[in-house]
Amino acid sequence: MAMNIIISTTCLFLLLLLLPLVSCTNNNQVYLVELGENNIKGDKTLHEIENTHHSYLLLVKETEDEARASHLYSYKHTFNGFAALLTPNEANNLSGMEGVVSVHKSQTRIYSLHTTRSWKFVGLDGPFDPLEQKSNETNRDLLTKAKYGQDIIVGMVDSGVWPDSKSFSDEGMGPVPQKWKGVCQNGTDFGSSNCNRKIIGARYYLQGYEKIYGPLNEEEDYKSARDKDGHGTHTASIVAGRAVQNASALGGFARGTASGGAPLARLAIYKACWPIKGKPKNDGNVCTNIDMLKAIDDAIEDGVDVINLSIGFPAPLKYEDDVIAKGALQAVRKNIVVVCSAGNAGPSPHSLSNPSPWIITVGASTVDRTFLAPIKLSNGTTIEGRSITPLRMGNSFCPLVLASDVEYAGILSANSSYCLDNTLDPSKVKGKIVLCMRGQGGRVKKSLEVQRAGGVGLILGNNKVYANDVPSDPYFIPTTGVTYENTLKLVQYIHSSPNPMAQLLPGRTVLDTKPAPSMAIFSSRGPNIIDPNILKPDITAPGVDILAAWTAKDGPTRMTFQDKRVVKYNIFSGTSMSCPHVSAASVLLKAMHPTWSPAAIRSALMTSARITDNTGNPMTDETGNPTTPFAMGSGHFYPKRASDPGLIYDASYMDYLLYLCNLNLTQHINLTYNCPNPLPQPFDLNYPSIQIHKLNYTKTIKRTVTNVGSSKSVYKFIANTPKEFNILATSSVLKFKHVGQKRNFVITVTANRDQLPSKCDPDKYYFGWYIWTDNYHVVRSPIAVSFQ
């Protein structure tokens, strides 16, 4: 099953039903205790902070042992307080004590975990890839300037790492950076020898998980930073994997040199995501809020430069309820770039995770590589299919049937055609190729059902919703997937032919496919429902069929109980894969521009992104229609151009506090900050994109750009808008005399009422963009507008 690690509604519902039973075993529950004394400045060691927290617990617990046993985590950077097991009475007593600001029960928020070709596709090749001479010099110049990410430290909050992979070799790397303050935590099958000059630190976090689900079943995962899932290993190698030649997925697909985008960057592993008890890995993972908050807290303390979080909540969370948002803001305060996946709940609108403006939020799109596995019909027609199934069917034709025609009698129409478990009649299936529809049930599980019934092959057919989105999976029998259009052709052939026969041809890797990139159907979409003043996602990056390192303890499909195949590299898809691409680009930018803030790095990536594909046409979605900023953000990232963006939209921690003042949320983030009066408008946060919800007639928006290009330069304003609104800038020309100089301008957006319906739908958005250009740099900002 391709990467789309979201806990199913059913599983989550059952887990939540079990929570009261866990709570009833004793009267202790997890509480977060917030203190008034501010330790964020870092003037106390963590040990001193823990002793302070223990002293509070001693006031409500009967013994010192009980106090220490009840303590779960102390937080230093992300949250001024601690997590502990308390009874409701103890929590009430603690809340009335001096120095305690609040004591509230921790809401059990279950977050979940949301390459040989992708780097070349975005113009950034690894050090050992064959290149044309001109491209070679240009790209090596970019990587050389960034020193391949050398000594930049990336914190990976994920499911751990498989340290034995060649992708994590430290051969030829220099000593661990002196700024590093982290540890290599011992655990099951993971010791200090598993850390090296590439993986410089590793920790794991179980307190929250075990307090909800009970002790970890060590048959299901390692009680250490070692990865038994594959997800964490995959994402870590995309960011900073070393160049490994002749790497490929099962069956030899995508063979080439696998390399991370910043192959000399250092990795710090923070394992905070664990299996659902009794479930296969492809059913999802759980990452509890207090475990993740502690992982981010430690990453800040340890000295990382970038934090990658390919994690999200199944639905958008308010800032005050979102530990990723809270932790990320404190990381940004320490000048740490935080990159998060947008989620895999697309193409539904309002579905994206991690919408905070201090986070880089990443969607997923394709690369110019596919895996063709055609279908040859007995009438001589060939239908295009796609697959990475490592099995061959042979040269003979076999009968081709619709799943709905070979099911047991009595199957409900709502469940028909999908090849769900125990729905196919072996007497009708044996020796045949079955066309199963996509839409219900796991894709790879369908091949197990066809296999159970004696079928020799599977064709996975798209419905109209999935359209042109054909995932690549390593099935258990010869299989290929087809688009909706080709599904209709196959259905028509079966209905019109007295003896339909087909042959599934072997799959092969095909490069330079067009059009690419296009948006992945699963990539979560805007608009941002947490704050309609902020356009999200920010950017898109390769997240479809990405080859990267894998654990040796989980099969390529993550179907734990059925898939016993072992691979060193695996092809996976998801915003979890696109997120580390942007993290790697952030590493390179931070190495090249060490004084740039996280906001500056985000701005460079966003304003330099591409909005066209390799045919020169606008990027499209799974339907073939032009995509919008609610899917691609500012566009598809392009690191080479981002390294020299010309202008940047910068923002500081204080700017974010002012923004939160407008939302009346500062008390949830910084207790000591007093909001000024009057406040700037929230839409005036200096962001590289603009979203306006319910525009009545006109709105003015303030922005500031900083010159990071030529010392003396002149930028002119150009706008591209739909007929529904106009964009003007005051001034329309910005002149700079030196690097670092700032210039303010005002954007005025005006509705063209004669082009709008008499009654506007406030949820219908129209899109445009504006740019500043000096005839060399193009600094693009998307804009989304709805009307009332």
Side-chain angles (χ1 to χ4, degrees):
M1 179 178 179
M3 175 60 202
N4 191 1
I5 311 179
I6 299 177
I7 300 173
S8 69
T9 304
T10 303
C11 290
L12 187 59
F13 178 69
L14 290 173
L15 290 170
L16 293 175
L17 282 179
L18 292 173
L19 292 182
L21 298 178
V22 175
S23 299
C24 289
T25 57
N26 56 54
N27 208 19
N28 285 323
Q29 298 176 36
V30 178
Y31 284 82
L32 285 169
V33 181
E34 187 169 8
L35 305 178
E37 183 183 355
N38 196 328
N39 291 304
I40 292 177
K41 293 180 180 179
D43 53 345
K44 290 186 177 181
T45 66
L46 183 59
H47 180 68
E48 290 173 325
I49 293 169
E50 287 175 343
N51 285 338
T52 299
H53 297 166
H54 286 144
S55 68
Y56 278 100
L57 289 170
L58 275 171
L59 298 175
V60 295
K61 297 292 185 179
E62 293 185 359
T63 67
E64 183 171 341
D65 288 344
E66 188 181 350
R68 293 194 176 275
S70 67
H71 176 264
L72 301 178
Y73 292 124
S74 286
Y75 303 99
K76 180 178 180 181
H77 299 280
T78 55
F79 171 74
N80 183 31
F82 59 94
L85 287 172
L86 301 169
T87 65
N89 187 53
E90 290 167 344
N92 184 59
N93 291 339
L94 198 56
S95 66
M97 293 181 182
E98 184 178 353
V100 176
V101 174
S102 67
V103 179
H104 55 272
K105 188 159 50 175
S106 173
Q107 297 299 312
T108 307
R109 303 201 181 279
I110 308 301
Y111 293 75
S112 55
L113 295 168
H114 276 173
T115 108
T116 51
R117 185 65 182 176
S118 55
W119 292 114
K120 184 171 184 178
F121 179 58
V122 299
L124 183 69
D125 290 73
F128 301 111
D129 290 339
L131 302 168
E132 298 177 6
Q133 185 63 28
K134 181 178 178 181
S135 177
N136 185 21
E137 291 173 355
T138 303
N139 290 323
R140 286 184 188 273
D141 183 57
L142 170 59
L143 285 166
T144 301
K145 285 180 179 178
K147 298 180 180 179
Y148 298 94
Q150 179 181 328
D151 291 348
I152 302 297
I153 303 170
V154 187
M156 303 295 300
V157 181
D158 214 295
S159 67
V161 70
W162 190 257
D164 313 284
S165 171
K166 289 183 179 179
S167 290
F168 307 121
S169 166
D170 67 350
E171 183 179 355
M173 295 186 72
V176 174
Q178 291 185 354
K179 65 182 178 181
W180 174 246
K181 297 184 291 182
V183 300
C184 191
Q185 185 178 1
N186 290 327
T188 305
D189 286 347
F190 197 103
S192 58
S193 62
N194 292 117
C195 291
N196 57 15
R197 289 168 295 178
K198 164 59 74 174
I199 301 174
I200 62 173
R203 301 176 186 259
Y204 66 96
Y205 305 87
L206 264 172
Q207 296 279 25
Y209 176 86
E210 292 194 329
K211 293 304 178 289
I212 296 172
Y213 305 108
L216 175 70
N217 180 351
E218 294 199 53
E219 293 295 316
E220 297 180 338
D221 206 344
Y222 295 100
K223 199 169 187 177
S224 71
R226 184 174 284 274
D227 180 19
K228 204 169 188 176
D229 178 279
H231 188 275
T233 301
H234 204 269
T235 55
S237 66
I238 292 171
V239 177
R242 303 298 299 277
V244 178
Q245 298 184 52
N246 205 33
S248 68
L250 191 68
F253 289 99
R255 188 176 301 279
T257 299
S259 176
L264 292 185
R266 315 302 179 119
L267 290 168
I269 307 302
Y270 301 89
K271 181 177 178 180
C273 299
W274 305 89
I276 303 171
K277 284 202 167 188
K279 298 290 183 180
K281 300 291 193 301
N282 68 319
D283 270 9
N285 310 69
V286 292
C287 324
T288 69
N289 54 351
I290 69 168
D291 288 342
M292 284 202 306
L293 192 64
K294 183 59 176 174
I296 298 170
D297 201 84
D298 280 344
I300 297 171
E301 177 70 12
D302 290 345
V304 305
D305 300 294
V306 176
I307 296 177
N308 184 95
L309 285 148
S310 293
I311 299 171
F313 196 69
L317 284 176
K318 295 179 180 179
Y319 300 149
E320 62 267 35
D321 297 329
D322 188 351
V323 298
I324 291 179
K326 288 183 175 181
L329 182 58
Q330 299 308 323
V332 166
R333 185 181 191 180
K334 296 290 186 179
N335 210 35
I336 298 169
V337 180
V338 181
V339 187
C340 295
S341 48
N344 300 333
S348 300
H350 312 291
S351 56
L352 67 85
S353 298
N354 302 311
S356 306
W358 46 88
I359 286 171
I360 303 177
T361 310
V362 187
S365 40
T366 64
V367 297
D368 62 340
R369 176 184 63 197
T370 192
F371 306 101
L372 294 184
I375 305 159
K376 188 175 181 180
L377 305 180
S378 56
N379 64 5
T381 302
T382 299
I383 303 290
E384 182 179 297
R386 297 175 213 162
S387 180
I388 55 170
T389 303
L391 302 169
R392 298 194 173 205
M393 186 176 151
N395 296 321
S396 59
F397 285 89
C398 296
L400 175 63
V401 295
L402 296 174
S404 56
D405 292 337
V406 293
E407 294 169 338
Y408 288 117
I411 298 296
L412 295 175
S413 60
N415 297 328
S416 180
S417 302
Y418 296 111
C419 296
L420 303 179
D421 291 352
N422 299 311
T423 59
L424 300 181
D425 185 342
S427 67
K428 302 176 182 178
V429 172
K430 187 175 180 180
K432 297 182 175 68
I433 299 170
V434 184
L435 173 58
C436 303
M437 293 303 295
R438 192 175 166 196
Q440 285 191 44
R443 296 190 302 269
V444 178
K445 286 189 72 176
K446 296 176 191 292
S447 69
L448 290 174
E449 174 60 11
V450 174
Q451 184 183 56
R452 180 200 64 79
V456 297
L458 162 68
I459 299 173
L460 184 68
N462 274 4
N463 58 24
K464 191 173 184 179
V465 172
Y466 290 108
N468 298 322
D469 176 78
V470 181
S472 300
D473 298 307
Y475 293 87
F476 295 104
I477 61 173
T479 299
T480 192
V482 293
T483 64
Y484 176 59
E485 181 182 350
N486 284 339
T487 299
L488 295 179
K489 291 179 181 178
L490 288 169
V491 171
Q492 194 276 332
Y493 167 70
I494 293 170
H495 284 157
S496 62
S497 174
N499 186 28
M501 304 281 283
Q503 179 186 359
L504 303 185
L505 301 180
R508 60 191 176 92
T509 304
V510 179
L511 304 179
D512 300 312
T513 57
K514 295 179 180 180
S518 61
M519 288 307 303
I521 189 173
F522 57 76
S523 188
S524 292
R525 307 303 210 258
N528 180 354
I529 62 174
I530 302 304
D531 181 9
N533 295 298
I534 303 296
L535 199 163
K536 289 282 183 171
D538 294 313
I539 202 164
T540 187
V544 177
D545 296 339
I546 304 301
L547 182 77
W550 199 246
T551 177
K553 290 296 183 179
D554 197 14
T557 64
R558 302 175 73 249
M559 296 174 66
T560 309
F561 308 132
Q562 295 99 348
D563 196 351
K564 304 302 179 184
R565 298 171 293 183
V566 176
V567 295
K568 294 181 179 179
Y569 290 84
N570 197 20
I571 291 172
F572 233 48
S573 298
T575 54
S576 283
M577 282 68 251
S578 57
C579 178
H581 279 85
V582 174
S583 291
S586 300
V587 167
L588 298 178
L589 294 182
K590 198 168 184 69
M592 289 182 65
H593 305 285
T595 62
W596 280 11
S597 69
I601 289 173
R602 177 187 58 223
S603 174
L605 289 165
M606 290 176 63
T607 60
S608 63
R610 287 178 163 176
I611 59 174
T612 56
D613 60 29
N614 57 3
T615 69
N617 294 310
M619 275 182 63
T620 58
D621 61 18
E622 70 284 349
T623 67
N625 294 318
T627 193
T628 76
F630 288 163
M632 68 175 178
S634 294
H636 196 268
F637 89 136
Y638 192 46
K640 176 185 169 184
R641 191 183 292 169
S643 67
D644 180 20
L647 304 176
I648 57 170
Y649 294 82
D650 209 352
S652 67
Y653 175 74
M654 294 305 297
D655 291 323
Y656 296 129
L657 289 185
L658 288 171
Y659 164 79
L660 290 168
C661 284
N662 264 289
L663 303 179
N664 199 29
L665 294 176
T666 312
Q667 70 276 14
H668 296 282
I669 304 295
N670 188 321
L671 295 170
T672 63
Y673 184 72
N674 294 317
C675 294
N677 189 18
L679 286 169
Q681 294 295 326
F683 51 77
D684 284 334
L685 178 67
N686 200 36
Y687 214 71
S689 58
I690 293 174
Q691 181 171 314
I692 302 173
H693 185 53
K694 295 183 179 180
L695 178 65
N696 187 12
Y697 175 67
T698 189
K699 177 172 276 191
T700 58
I701 296 168
K702 299 174 183 177
R703 289 292 186 265
T704 301
V705 287
T706 305
N707 180 28
V708 295
S710 303
S711 57
K712 291 183 179 180
S713 53
V714 178
Y715 284 81
K716 295 181 180 180
F717 179 83
I718 300 172
N720 182 293
T721 61
K723 66 181 186 300
E724 288 79 10
F725 65 88
N726 292 323
I727 306 174
L728 294 175
T730 309
S731 300
S732 60
V733 176
L734 301 178
K735 296 181 179 180
F736 297 91
K737 296 180 179 179
H738 58 84
V739 174
Q741 186 175 7
K742 298 179 183 293
R743 284 283 184 253
N744 302 323
F745 63 94
V746 175
I747 292 288
T748 301
V749 181
T750 305
N752 292 329
R753 280 295 172 186
D754 58 339
Q755 299 294 330
L756 291 167
S758 57
K759 186 173 182 179
C760 294
D761 178 359
D763 291 325
K764 179 176 176 56
Y765 281 82
Y766 303 85
F767 305 97
W769 48 258
Y770 68 88
I771 63 173
W772 292 103
T773 180
D774 62 354
N775 295 323
Y776 176 75
H777 301 96
V778 177
V779 187
R780 186 189 311 273
S781 293
I783 182 166
V785 182
S786 75
F787 301 91
Q788 63 178 3

